[in-house]
């Protein structure tokens, strides 16, 4: 206690005197007090500081590792098609269907059809004659009018009618039944820009009209077995 009082008194007298340099005896007295008081707090503060320096990087590092693991696992799962979720199977292509046959209507219309349907795509040729004049249709598209009636359409490359020029649109309309019924329906090329447009605009009267479709005298046509639809244009 006497040492503390002496040091305090010495320092106070030095300050009151307005000195600018610390006397050696004052410095020695102050330094003598440091190990017993302030030094213990200094060690504790330093220990806490060192602890924080090590703990914070470890915590931040652990969090970064966790985030990185999540990101990498997500990339791995997204890139590996064999992990999680159903895998899609390839859709099989439709089996092409052959259609065709030969028939005669009213003794004047003789038709032979040979075609192939692949999905909604039609290819093939119609060869025939009307009142002895030959005609040819290059098949391009088709339409199912109802569950019994099909329209097989394309370009009339050779016309049997002088009023219908080559290059016009034409369709063979066939209605299933006993006997089957059939007719040829032509239209100028200017009425449609594509085959699908032409075939979808064929009016009901071409099928239901008494002069447009008639029973086959002989022969028949093999039609697609399953229903199909053509896009309306």
């Amino acid at each position: 206690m006497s040492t503390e009082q002496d040091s305090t008194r010495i320092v106070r007298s030095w300050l009151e005197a307005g000195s600018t340099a610390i006397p050696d005896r004052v410095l020695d007295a102050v330094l003598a007090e440091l190990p017993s008081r302030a030094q213990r707090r200094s060690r504790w503060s330093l220990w806490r500081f060192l602890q924080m320096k090590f703990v914070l990087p470890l915590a931040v590092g652990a969090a970064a590792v966790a985030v990185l693991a999540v990101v990498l696992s997500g990339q791995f799962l997204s890139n590996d098609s064999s992990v999680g979720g159903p895998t899609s199977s390839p859709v099989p292509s439709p089996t092409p269907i052959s259609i065709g046959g030969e028939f005669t209507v009213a003794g004047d219309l003789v038709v032979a059809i040979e075609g192939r349907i692949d999905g909604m795509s039609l290819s093939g040729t119609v060869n025939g004659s009307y009142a002895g004049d030959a005609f040819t249709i290059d098949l391009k598209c088709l339409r199912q009018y109802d569950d019994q009636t099909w329209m097989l359409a394309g370009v009339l490359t050779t016309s049997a009618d002088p009023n219908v020029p080559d290059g016009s649109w034409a369709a063979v309309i066939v209605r299933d039944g006993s006997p089957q019924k059939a007719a040829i329906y032509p239209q100028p090329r200017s009425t449609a820009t594509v085959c699908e447009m032409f075939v979808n605009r064929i009016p009901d009267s071409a099928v239901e009209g008494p002069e447009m479709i008639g029973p086959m005298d002989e022969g028949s046509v093999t039609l697609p077995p399953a229903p199909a639809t053509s896009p309306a244009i």
Side-chain angles (χ1 to χ4, degrees), residues 2-170:
S2 60
T3 304
E4 287 187 19
Q5 292 176 354
D6 292 342
S7 298
T8 301
R9 186 177 63 256
I10 294 170
V11 171
R12 182 176 299 165
S13 63
W14 171 73
L15 291 174
E16 290 175 352
S19 301
T20 58
I22 302 176
D24 291 340
R25 57 192 179 85
V26 175
L27 182 61
D28 293 339
V30 172
L31 292 177
E33 292 295 317
L34 292 178
S36 61
R37 299 188 183 277
Q39 193 166 1
R40 283 197 295 271
R41 288 197 296 270
S42 175
R43 286 199 192 99
W44 173 248
S45 300
L46 179 62
W47 172 242
R48 289 294 303 273
F49 176 72
L50 292 177
Q51 279 185 320
M52 293 301 295
K53 285 186 68 177
F54 281 98
V55 170
L56 284 177
L58 287 175
V60 173
V65 170
V67 171
L68 181 60
V70 171
V71 172
L72 291 178
S73 64
Q75 290 181 347
F76 174 77
L77 291 176
S78 62
N79 292 332
D80 189 355
S81 60
S82 64
V83 179
T87 56
S88 58
S89 300
V91 179
S93 301
T95 303
I97 301 171
S98 296
I99 61 171
E102 298 180 3
F103 61 88
T104 301
V105 176
D108 290 331
L109 178 63
V110 180
V111 178
I113 302 173
E114 185 177 352
R116 183 182 180 89
I117 298 174
D118 191 353
M120 286 307 301
S121 176
L122 174 64
S123 60
T125 305
V126 176
N127 292 301
S129 63
Y130 179 70
D133 295 323
F135 67 89
T136 303
I137 302 173
D138 185 13
L139 295 174
K140 300 291 186 181
C141 64
L142 74 162
R143 171 189 173 191
Q144 186 178 15
Y145 177 79
D146 56 30
D147 59 352
Q148 292 182 299
T149 309
W150 289 83
M151 300 175 176
L152 313 176
V155 178
L156 186 64
T157 56
T158 303
S159 177
D161 186 345
N163 297 318
V164 181
D166 295 351
S168 299
W169 297 113

